[in-house]
Amino acid sequence: MKLVQITDTHISHLGGSPSENARLFVQFIDELAPDIVVHTGDVTILDPDEDRDRVAAKEILAGISAPMRVLPGNHDVGEPGDDPFGDRPVTSERIAAFRAHFGIDRFVEIVDGWAVVGLNSELFDSGLPEEEEQWAWIETLPELVGPRPVALFTHKPIWAHTPEHQNTHLTVGPDSLPRLEAVLAELDVRAFGSGHLHRYAVTERDGAVVVSAPSTAFVHRSAVSADVIGPGLTQLGVVEYELDERVLPLFRAPLGIVEPEFLEVEQARIALDAMGVVLPA
Ligand SMILES: [Fe+2]
Ligand SMILES: [Fe+2]
């Protein structure tokens, strides 16, 4: 079974390199001919309240022929915690706006004997009613999935590189982690895939392959230290997974993409301005 994970497309209604890259990746994914595509969020450039970015993203991503499921990232629905980026906390309204374009923010797809599961990482530690709804659903997963091998996807990674960095900016919230781990212990998870870090890395946890997928839009070469998020490849791409008896993740990228730093993307600077975010110099 072949699955492609695309993430952190950060598409703006103003176009520019994120959109041009996304179009190249859409065509490239079709050439890879996967059975299923999972988008692990940060679909839109930065501001969860800019509906025009969702419209633009949806139009570009519609070019993918394979069945696709889309999860939200912090830039699609806001994030939990005391100090959310751009003063955009995750809210019921923001989740509803995401769902209106991309469907429900959690899923199970059974593909060729595998259970492909997606969770909304921005709900953990949020205290929203949608968090409890998601928990109630998560706790039915062992029954829904049975003995099948599982590939589990989230926007933010479930675990931090080191436990002191387990926080709602980087990972699944620390208060929710033990409850999630209790459910995971009842599943045969063979692969974990996340986005958010804009960096490709493959590690291993209790026999499962743990993948951090790269962005298709921009890289953070200097901003985030490897001490915090772990080592990885700072390049744009997607991840192709061969899911059979074994799990084989493969970094893939087409020719012709441009690879800017975050602040080299004009549309990102415009969005930051519109959100009133001033980044430290
Ligand atoms: Fe991102
Ligand atoms: Fe993110």
Side-chain angles (χ1 to χ4, degrees):
M1 197 273 267
K2 189 192 283 189
L3 181 153
V4 168
Q5 180 189 5
I6 181 171
T7 196
D8 297 82
T9 48
H10 288 282
I11 293 166
S12 163
H13 71 283
L14 299 171
S17 64
S19 297
E20 287 157 23
N21 278 359
R23 285 197 182 89
L24 288 171
F25 275 105
V26 161
Q27 200 182 343
F28 180 67
I29 288 171
D30 265 5
E31 288 161 18
L32 296 174
D35 298 296
I36 185 168
V37 175
V38 176
H39 191 315
T40 46
D42 282 359
V43 180
T44 58
I45 187 150
L46 288 179
D47 187 353
D49 296 337
E50 180 49 271
D51 215 44
R52 289 176 294 182
D53 295 339
R54 276 189 272 276
V55 172
K58 198 173 169 184
E59 192 225 301
I60 292 172
L61 294 171
I64 292 175
S65 310
M68 178 173 63
R69 298 300 303 244
V70 184
L71 293 171
N74 48 304
H75 291 294
D76 302 312
V77 294
E79 68 182 346
D82 295 336
D83 181 26
F85 181 84
D87 201 19
R88 302 292 199 270
V90 60
T91 62
S92 298
E93 293 71 25
R94 291 182 173 127
I95 291 167
F98 172 87
R99 287 178 178 172
H101 288 276
F102 299 109
I104 185 83
D105 49 335
R106 57 174 182 262
F107 61 82
V108 178
E109 294 280 347
I110 306 296
V111 187
D112 204 11
W114 279 74
V116 180
V117 177
L119 306 178
N120 179 351
S121 62
E122 304 316 296
L123 285 175
F124 296 115
D125 288 15
S126 72
L128 291 174
E130 288 82 355
E131 180 181 9
E132 255 332 294
E133 282 166 31
Q134 177 165 265
W135 277 123
W137 178 84
I138 286 172
E139 278 156 0
T140 67
L141 278 173
E143 197 181 325
L144 273 174
V145 160
R148 294 179 184 89
V150 174
L152 182 73
F153 293 91
T154 45
H155 176 64
K156 286 179 180 158
I158 294 178
W159 297 279
H161 171 56
T162 51
E164 70 265 30
H165 296 298
Q166 189 83 32
N167 65 61
T168 51
H169 289 299
L170 278 181
T171 62
V172 163
D175 296 344
S176 296
L177 184 61
R179 189 173 174 185
L180 183 58
E181 285 176 326
V183 181
L184 296 180
E186 294 181 53
L187 299 170
D188 180 13
V189 185
R190 308 265 180 96
F192 293 94
S194 58
H196 187 60
L197 302 180
H198 293 223
R199 185 174 287 218
Y200 178 63
V202 179
T203 51
E204 183 268 340
R205 189 176 189 103
D206 298 334
V209 172
V210 181
V211 176
S212 169
S215 169
T216 64
F218 50 81
V219 293
H220 297 294
R221 274 196 190 88
S222 50
V224 189
S225 152
D227 298 345
V228 177
I229 65 169
L233 175 69
T234 310
Q235 260 183 259
L236 304 184
V238 292
V239 182
E240 177 185 345
Y241 295 74
E242 287 177 22
L243 300 172
D244 297 300
E245 287 302 304
R246 60 169 189 170
V247 173
L248 181 63
L250 299 156
F251 174 91
R252 298 284 195 213
L255 295 173
I257 51 172
V258 293
E259 211 155 64
E261 274 276 340
F262 175 44
L263 288 177
E264 288 169 357
V265 178
E266 187 192 348
Q267 294 74 22
R269 283 189 272 113
I270 293 169
L272 282 173
D273 237 31
M275 292 171 78
V277 175
V278 181
L279 291 181

